[in-house]
Amino acid sequence: MAAAARVYISIGSNVDRERYVTAALDALSGWFGELIISPVYDSEAVGFDGSPFLNLVVGVETSLSVAELSQRFKRLEADNGRRRDVPKFSARTLDLDILTYGNAVGRIDGVELPRGEILKNAFVLRPLADIAPKEVHPVCGKSYGELWREYSTGQRLWPVDFNWQGRQISSAAG
């Protein structure tokens, strides 16, 4: 069995958002047990005109391969109504992306690691910096906390109240 790796996963939804984010958290918890969960953010759609998204990042420990994770996430997205026969930038019930897999760099099992969106999108970087501020991006060598402090695009996001499994995991008060 392979050694366990820390994996960070982004979760997003802009269709029946609370329902699908909850479904993702339930599935991830069932597969991996204890989750490290960032605050949940409301963010504008990027790349297209659409309803706002709920976004967050979850950290897990797993010995599953990148390919196995990718297959599970695609199946979970499909089981929750994600359509792949629509334009890339369009509304979606559920979007899960592997952001990092330990310190892996490069294209692994068809997945580019670390995911480029970390450095481009506030809705990925901010929640990652919230739960892993001292961890270092394996390519640029800066911590996620430092990257967030230096981040300066016009993308805006807001923390929201979010409850999961009977407890508040996110607060609009930030």
Side-chain angles (χ1 to χ4, degrees), residues 134-146:
K134 294 181 179 174
E135 289 195 35
V136 174
H137 188 283
V139 174
C140 72
K142 292 183 178 182
S143 73
Y144 297 117
E146 184 178 3

Side-chain angles (χ1 to χ4, degrees), residues 2-174:
R6 169 67 50 89
V7 177
Y8 290 104
I9 305 150
S10 67
I11 301 171
S13 174
N14 76 334
V15 174
D16 202 358
R17 304 175 323 162
E18 292 82 5
R19 172 185 169 193
Y20 291 113
V21 168
T22 296
L25 290 171
D26 288 345
L28 293 173
S29 175
W31 291 334
F32 305 111
E34 188 74 24
L35 305 177
I36 301 166
I37 306 172
S38 78
V40 179
Y41 291 92
D42 199 355
S43 66
E44 298 165 335
V46 173
F48 69 101
D49 289 329
S51 301
F53 277 79
L54 284 184
N55 292 100
L56 67 152
V57 170
V58 172
V60 302
E61 293 284 332
T62 185
S63 56
L64 294 175
S65 70
V66 172
E68 291 168 315
L69 289 172
S70 183
Q71 289 169 353
R72 281 189 187 203
F73 296 167
K74 284 182 176 149
R75 188 169 52 249
L76 179 60
E77 290 170 341
D79 289 349
N80 282 278
R82 170 79 184 267
R83 296 186 50 201
R84 301 231 179 244
D85 60 345
V86 296
K88 178 179 179 181
F89 294 108
S90 59
R92 54 196 61 174
T93 55
L94 189 57
D95 186 25
L96 287 96
D97 293 310
I98 301 167
L99 300 176
T100 65
Y101 186 92
N103 288 319
V105 174
R107 187 165 272 307
I108 299 169
D109 298 327
V111 177
E112 190 64 36
L113 295 169
R115 189 166 180 89
E117 281 184 302
I118 294 170
L119 301 176
K120 294 177 186 159
N121 291 318
F123 60 83
V124 175
L125 180 57
R126 172 76 188 271
L128 182 57
D130 286 336
I131 61 174
K134 294 181 179 174
E135 289 195 35
V136 174
H137 188 283
V139 174
C140 72
K142 292 183 178 182
S143 73
Y144 297 117
E146 184 178 3
L147 288 167
W148 177 245
R149 287 188 297 278
E150 295 173 354
Y151 188 81
S152 62
T153 74
Q155 293 178 16
R156 299 178 3 191
L157 59 159
W158 306 266
V160 297
D161 290 330
F162 197 92
N163 294 300
W164 177 63
Q165 293 188 346
R167 64 185 170 101
Q168 186 171 18
I169 62 168
S170 182
S171 170

